[in-house]
Amino acid sequence: MTTPSSLRSFVEVAADSHFPIQNLPYGVFRPRGAEAPRVGVAIGELILDLAVLEREGLLHVPRSHGETLFDRPSLNAWMALGREAWVAVRRQLTHLLDRDEPTLRDDAALRREALVPRAECEMLLPVEIADFTDFYSSREHATNVGAMLRSPENPLMPNWLWVPIAYHGRASSVVVGGTDLPRPCGQLMADGAAAPTFAPSRAVDFELEVGYFIGPGNRLGEPIAVDRAAEHVFGLVLVNDWSARDIQKWEYVPLGPFLAKSFGTSISPWVVTLEALEPFRVSGPPQDPPPLAYLQSPGYDSYDIHLEVSLQTSTAGAAERICASNFRGLYWSLAQQIAHHTSNGCNLRTGDLLASGTISGSTPAALGCLLELTRGGKQPLKLADGSERRFLEDGDRVTMTGWCQADGYRVGFGEVTGRILPARPIRPAV
């Protein structure tokens, strides 16, 4: 269900707000002073409390069998119901928030209870995450990294243009935006050294990514066809898959990233649905050679999502934009990622998080991590306050944001932010 661009809510929404009535992203929040978290949708500067609407009988959810869905600390039960239920409730929420609909607009007591200022709420991790898979789907990113680590003449591995590459990440260390992370420690192997040392990473990096949550999964042994993949996607979030490049360099051969990435992955608190993104569907880049038959998708399977990264040092008064990229440039689409992930019979489950990998563009301003922006630390990034960065220093705060722009409104993701804290040493037993 696509909400008409002309529709407006009785809730005041600024023209540049990420959360107009055309969006209505889902999140889990806790009002100040409350104990129990619950599910809501963002509208302007407010959160519409779905647990209140559910209690008042204003939401009718297909396939729910009378189960309470929104007075919960996660979206999982809601996501598991599938697209029929998602579309039906979106239609009801859009109706209730319409400026011409009096049910909520004219009931002052209900409005005070159901519409809560976002500034007075704590945002929580929206989903109980079952598993985390991180793809490597930006050709520009893979080419840039391959040129640094392999050779400029042959940057891509032979399989990259044939198969969506990914690694299995650590779901337990996925955190909601606003969570600060200590600098990780690990084994570091200096060039020319005879043995590694164990020390705090000196090359902590961010990665600009977009992730998506699985709603209904598939049974073990039953692959998901590429043209059915969207039926399993509940919605998208911004992802910062923090990385320790020096730890990664030493450990990634032969099985890929491990401790270099498992120390933390940050996601934005609001999940933007495919229904909200539908008006912004576009074609992805041409694929040559043509994918194998099981990966051939029908066409308009990407989204025009503008993405930005800002960096604020501990001494700077304001954040500075250091990257602007776009989701539409990803070589491998979400549908192709899901089709490949399940092609061997692997079963995805409700709450699984799949991420795009670093999203880089073709220009220097569109590089989605410091590894690329600084050429592996060899060309420091010069900031407006006169300081430089090869990689992140303690106290640095990274903020990512993204939105789709339409005529008169935008559908946005809010932001995901996090700060790097000093390393915490291992405390031996006494």
Side-chain angles (χ1 to χ4, degrees):
M1 172 199 165
T2 300
T3 305
S5 60
S6 59
L7 195 66
R8 295 293 180 267
S9 172
F10 67 84
V11 175
E12 184 177 351
V13 178
D16 60 350
S17 171
H18 284 207
F19 306 127
I21 196 171
Q22 287 81 7
N23 191 352
L24 304 184
Y26 289 89
V28 172
F29 72 104
R30 180 161 45 213
R32 188 176 300 159
E35 294 183 1
R38 67 288 301 269
V39 174
V41 297
I43 177 72
E45 296 299 319
L46 304 176
I47 298 174
L48 180 61
D49 189 334
L50 301 192
V52 171
L53 299 187
E54 188 175 44
R55 185 196 68 207
E56 295 298 316
L58 295 175
L59 293 179
H60 306 284
V61 185
R63 302 170 57 186
S64 64
H65 306 295
E67 182 182 17
T68 299
L69 294 169
F70 301 119
D71 193 9
R72 291 172 178 258
S74 80
L75 294 171
N76 291 55
W78 168 231
M79 296 194 306
L81 292 186
R83 180 140 281 111
E84 177 190 353
W86 306 339
V87 171
V89 168
R90 178 178 174 83
R91 184 176 291 111
Q92 294 169 59
L93 293 175
T94 301
H95 176 70
L96 286 169
L97 289 167
D98 188 339
R99 61 184 171 189
D100 296 325
E101 170 53 41
T103 302
L104 183 57
R105 184 196 66 193
D106 295 349
D107 189 331
L110 178 60
R111 201 171 60 246
R112 281 193 300 271
E113 187 177 9
L115 288 166
V116 187
R118 283 196 286 122
E120 298 178 6
C121 297
E122 175 190 8
M123 296 307 301
L124 306 175
L125 195 68
V127 174
E128 184 178 341
I129 300 172
D131 271 311
F132 172 39
T133 300
D134 192 31
F135 282 87
Y136 191 47
S137 294
S138 165
R139 183 171 184 171
E140 289 79 7
H141 173 66
T143 299
N144 293 334
V145 173
M148 284 187 275
L149 301 182
R150 286 167 50 81
S151 72
E153 295 76 23
N154 189 27
L156 294 179
M157 294 291 287
N159 62 351
W160 199 93
L161 292 172
W162 291 99
V163 56
I165 302 297
Y167 77 95
H168 193 183
R170 180 72 181 169
S172 64
S173 53
V174 178
V175 296
V176 70
T179 304
D180 298 332
L181 294 169
R183 180 176 298 272
C185 295
Q187 287 196 21
L188 314 178
M189 186 66 167
D191 293 340
T197 59
F198 184 84
S201 169
R202 293 187 288 271
V204 175
D205 200 356
F206 64 84
E207 290 188 345
L208 172 61
E209 305 192 22
V210 170
Y212 53 103
F213 284 111
I214 297 298
N218 59 305
R219 293 181 179 177
L220 182 66
E222 297 183 2
I224 296 174
V226 68
D227 60 349
R228 303 292 299 272
E231 299 172 15
H232 297 264
V233 177
F234 176 71
L236 279 60
V237 291
L238 302 173
V239 174
N240 181 356
D241 195 29
W242 305 90
S243 299
R245 301 301 187 184
D246 42 6
I247 297 174
Q248 184 177 355
K249 181 180 178 182
W250 174 235
E251 73 176 2
Y252 86 103
V253 177
L255 295 180
F258 184 32
L259 300 186
K261 289 178 176 286
S262 63
F263 68 95
T265 298
S266 301
I267 67 170
S268 52
W270 295 107
V271 186
V272 179
T273 66
L274 293 193
E275 286 72 34
L277 294 172
E278 180 64 23
F280 308 98
R281 283 182 64 184
V282 293
S283 295
Q287 296 182 319
D288 184 22
L292 299 181
Y294 79 101
L295 290 174
Q296 291 179 7
S297 56
Y300 294 94
D301 51 5
S302 190
Y303 299 94
D304 184 8
I305 306 173
H306 174 80
L307 301 166
E308 293 185 357
V309 181
S310 297
L311 174 63
Q312 183 174 10
T313 69
S314 59
T315 57
E320 177 180 347
R321 191 180 78 174
I322 59 173
C323 166
S325 189
N326 197 294
F327 182 83
R328 70 185 302 167
L330 282 180
Y331 189 85
W332 294 108
S333 71
L334 307 188
Q336 290 172 320
Q337 292 169 12
I338 291 173
H340 182 67
H341 201 317
T342 63
S343 62
N344 66 343
C346 173
N347 55 317
L348 298 177
R349 297 178 295 176
T350 298
D352 280 357
L353 173 64
L354 281 65
S356 62
T358 304
I359 303 172
S360 292
S362 58
T363 65
L367 303 178
C369 62
L370 285 172
L371 181 69
E372 294 175 85
L373 286 166
T374 69
R375 299 295 299 168
K378 296 176 182 178
Q379 299 175 8
L381 179 68
K382 299 183 185 300
L383 300 175
D385 65 357
S387 62
E388 296 181 343
R389 286 294 184 273
R390 287 177 168 83
F391 291 100
L392 297 174
E393 298 183 5
D394 292 349
D396 285 351
R397 181 180 298 280
V398 176
T399 299
M400 298 176 179
T401 188
W403 65 85
C404 305
Q405 186 64 53
D407 185 14
Y409 72 94
R410 62 176 46 170
V411 168
F413 290 77
E415 63 182 33
V416 55
T417 185
R419 184 169 52 123
I420 296 299
L421 303 177
R424 295 176 182 170
I426 296 177
R427 302 186 183 278
V430 284

